[in-house]
Amino acid sequence: MKKSGDKRGEHYVIRGGIPLVGEVEIGGAKNAALAIVAAAIMTDETVTIDNMPDVRDTNVMLEAMQGIGVVIDRVDRHTVKINGSMVKNVNIDTDNIRKIRASYYLMGALLGKYRNAEVPLPGGCDIGSRPIDQHVKGFRALGAEVSIEGGIVKASAKRLQGAHIYMDVVTVGATINIMMAASLAEGRTIIENAAKEPHVVDVANFLNSMGANIKGAGTDVIRISGVEKLHACTYSVIPDQIEAGTFMFAAAVTQGDVLIKNVIPKHLESITAKLIEIGCEVQEFDDAVRVVASKRLRPTQIKTLPYPGYPTDMQPQAGVALALSEGVSTITESIFENRFRYVDELIKMGAAIRVEGNTAIIEGVKGFTGAHISAPDLRAGAALVIAALAAQGVTVIDNIYFIQRGYEDFDTKLRRLGAQIDEAADSKDIRKLQLRVVS
Ligand code: EPZ
């Protein structure tokens, strides 16, 4: 007989109302890893990357890279060796690469190394319009010709020449992409109004370990002196700030007590500040944070902003907590236009939320009740899981595929904290689990 949790499936069946208690270990940052594996092909030597998250998005990215001749050697679950010397094709058009947003990092990597790249327009979560004009602007400033034909971005350059580039919006993706291409350009590039997210710094550190010359990552002016070539290195991806933040909120909404290990507390400051504001106790250690919630949460105001502001990727999780708080809160989403798709699902569980434009007005309720709901995207899906953990009764969540894009062993980690969460493959399975968890 299979143990609880052994079954792989498409739905989660969750019995809520159990405070999460214990310790959880955070993995490598998905969004840093995606850029780092792309950047790894910029040398012909073998690069070793450690603390790789084993999640669907990074696996799809690695498979897509294999498709163009990159040699990928999975040394173990969290270590991968990458060799880009055999890249045979700068024209990437596979189903895999269309699935994920981060495929756009191959543009900067290939353009830098081969002065030529053809990559389909990025996919990813449907969280609103996701233009790439700033990427294109940066590549053009470096001397590339860029066109978009039939859904493919084509960039080529006889030579790449360093340039002074002012970003019109703060964008993580474009900052990283330009940083990659500029690392192998001639002369000096200055990126102004650069994104400051921890994964921008991580990718800069990685490129520097390969021999690039990047200064100022983590501030809004990044200076890059182009080098002729990059070389092998061994690098460990930073801990995932968003996975950590998700567990911090899971502790908060279930009135739990969770020690979240292998984190960089500095990266979590805006999340910690909000949790303290809403009445949680947060203790910081060198590489861990402990979140304790022992009373009903308080309302607050949140506006998503680029780092070091409150992250858009943590907005749905906060929405769940505020929906259970004692009073009226507002959340303003200022980065993406379609990131309140979890609200309709939460309303099915008893939440009282009204969305007006880019603001959600949340009237806290005393509790949620289990319902049959659906994950609309990655972070919203994770937020609905924590809502279900706080709810009375059983919740079924469809489309957990989205959650698996970015959370490694989410259900296993939650079970270790005492949660009752199982995967179900089909409706028969769901029924069985519903009966089991209520009995
Ligand atoms: C990255 O997306 C992350 N994805 C997202 O995480 C995250 O939400 C986002 O950064 C913000 O932190 C990956 O790293 C793969 P942006 P990205 O470029 O790079 C506008 C998750 O759940 N913009 O920083 O696409 C854009 O519309 C995902 O893990 C332009 O106008 O985000 C947005 O309003 C979801 N022109 C703002 O900038 C451009 O050329 C920030 O986007 C590029 C972006």
Side-chain angles (χ1 to χ4, degrees):
M1 209 179 90
K2 281 189 170 173
K3 281 201 310 261
S4 153
D6 280 351
K7 193 162 279 182
R8 315 307 297 167
E10 301 298 324
H11 317 262
Y12 282 142
V13 180
I14 299 167
R15 183 169 79 84
I18 305 167
L20 297 186
V21 177
E23 298 182 1
V24 63
E25 189 90 25
I26 298 305
K30 169 193 78 116
N31 289 342
L34 286 165
I36 286 172
V37 296
I41 68 168
M42 294 176 70
T43 171
D44 281 344
E45 298 176 19
T46 300
V47 169
T48 306
I49 299 163
D50 205 1
N51 205 30
M52 271 290 294
D54 180 16
V55 294
R56 198 164 296 189
D57 271 10
T58 49
N59 293 335
V60 168
M61 181 80 171
L62 291 171
E63 269 173 44
M65 286 167 53
Q66 255 170 335
I68 58 164
V70 179
V71 179
I72 308 282
D73 175 13
R74 283 213 98 120
V75 181
D76 59 39
R77 191 172 182 201
H78 298 123
T79 309
V80 67
K81 283 184 187 289
I82 298 179
N83 184 293
S85 64
M86 307 283 280
V87 171
K88 51 182 183 294
N89 200 343
V90 289
N91 174 339
I92 306 174
D93 189 5
T94 64
D95 283 347
N96 269 348
I97 214 69
R98 284 178 186 274
K99 280 188 207 151
I100 53 169
R101 176 93 186 144
S103 55
Y104 59 35
Y105 288 133
L106 290 167
M107 285 189 240
L110 292 170
L111 181 66
K113 191 177 180 198
Y114 298 108
R115 307 298 196 238
N116 202 355
E118 294 188 16
V119 180
L121 274 170
C125 283
D126 178 14
I127 52 178
S129 150
R130 300 184 75 175
I132 57 154
D133 57 299
Q134 298 302 305
H135 303 240
V136 172
K137 170 178 163 167
F139 295 150
R140 284 194 177 132
L142 295 174
E145 280 183 23
V146 188
S147 62
I148 302 177
E149 292 164 36
I152 313 263
V153 186
K154 300 184 176 180
S156 65
K158 283 207 176 65
R159 26 189 310 235
L160 283 180
Q161 179 66 50
H164 197 138
I165 303 165
Y166 185 89
M167 311 301 292
D168 301 313
V169 283
V170 179
T171 132
V172 173
T175 301
I176 291 178
N177 236 338
I178 296 166
M179 220 162 59
M180 292 203 281
S183 291
L184 289 176
E186 291 168 41
R188 197 153 191 244
T189 297
I190 299 175
I191 308 175
E192 296 217 49
N193 200 24
K196 296 180 282 208
E197 268 67 3
H199 41 301
V200 174
V201 180
D202 205 36
V203 180
N205 288 341
F206 171 67
L207 287 164
N208 284 342
S209 309
M210 286 205 299
N213 184 345
I214 302 172
K215 296 203 169 86
T219 75
D220 48 19
V221 183
I222 300 179
R223 293 184 166 78
I224 304 142
S225 295
V227 296
E228 253 176 45
K229 58 193 273 217
L230 300 174
H231 55 69
C233 73
T234 297
Y235 194 80
S236 185
V237 177
I238 48 164
D240 197 307
Q241 170 206 19
I242 307 301
E243 187 194 8
T246 302
F247 279 98
M248 291 169 83
F249 269 96
V253 302
T254 61
Q255 297 285 296
D257 178 349
V258 178
L259 182 69
I260 296 131
K261 291 162 70 173
N262 186 32
V263 301
I264 298 174
K266 169 96 189 133
H267 294 167
L268 301 170
E269 272 174 353
S270 63
I271 300 162
T272 299
K274 282 297 158 193
L275 284 169
I276 291 171
E277 256 175 63
I278 64 175
C280 299
E281 194 192 321
V282 185
Q283 288 170 10
E284 284 184 9
F285 304 94
D286 284 350
D287 61 354
V289 289
R290 178 178 172 205
V291 178
V292 184
S294 49
K295 49 184 187 295
R296 178 131 185 234
L297 302 175
R298 291 195 296 261
T300 192
Q301 270 69 51
I302 293 182
K303 183 175 184 183
T304 61
L305 288 170
Y307 190 84
Y310 188 87
T312 173
D313 288 350
M314 284 301 303
Q315 185 264 102
Q317 300 88 323
V320 169
L322 298 182
L324 288 171
S325 71
E326 195 168 13
V328 180
S329 302
T330 58
I331 297 186
T332 303
E333 172 55 63
S334 71
I335 310 290
F336 291 110
E337 61 209 25
N338 196 12
R339 253 194 150 165
F340 284 126
R341 293 198 306 153
Y342 65 94
V343 164
D344 284 345
E345 304 304 299
L346 219 47
I347 287 172
K348 292 180 194 159
M349 302 176 75
I353 306 177
R354 199 170 78 243
V355 177
E356 287 177 9
N358 66 345
T359 299
I361 299 123
I362 304 169
E363 277 180 54
V365 294
K366 276 219 172 101
F368 297 145
T369 47
H372 195 139
I373 55 175
S374 178
D377 62 61
L378 165 59
R379 306 302 173 188
L384 292 172
V385 170
I386 66 174
L389 295 171
Q392 286 307 316
V394 178
T395 297
V396 177
I397 304 184
D398 297 341
N399 290 332
I400 60 168
Y401 163 88
F402 284 116
I403 301 167
Q404 293 162 340
R405 291 180 69 154
Y407 290 87
E408 181 180 311
D409 295 342
F410 196 38
D411 52 340
T412 309
K413 290 184 182 184
L414 287 168
R415 265 194 302 277
R416 283 194 198 122
L417 296 171
Q420 274 211 11
I421 172 169
D422 285 278
E423 280 188 29
D426 51 32
S427 48
K428 215 169 112 200
D429 241 12
I430 292 176
R431 190 77 206 117
K432 257 200 299 195
L433 281 166
Q434 277 172 324
L435 289 173
R436 186 174 68 79
V437 292
V438 290
S439 58

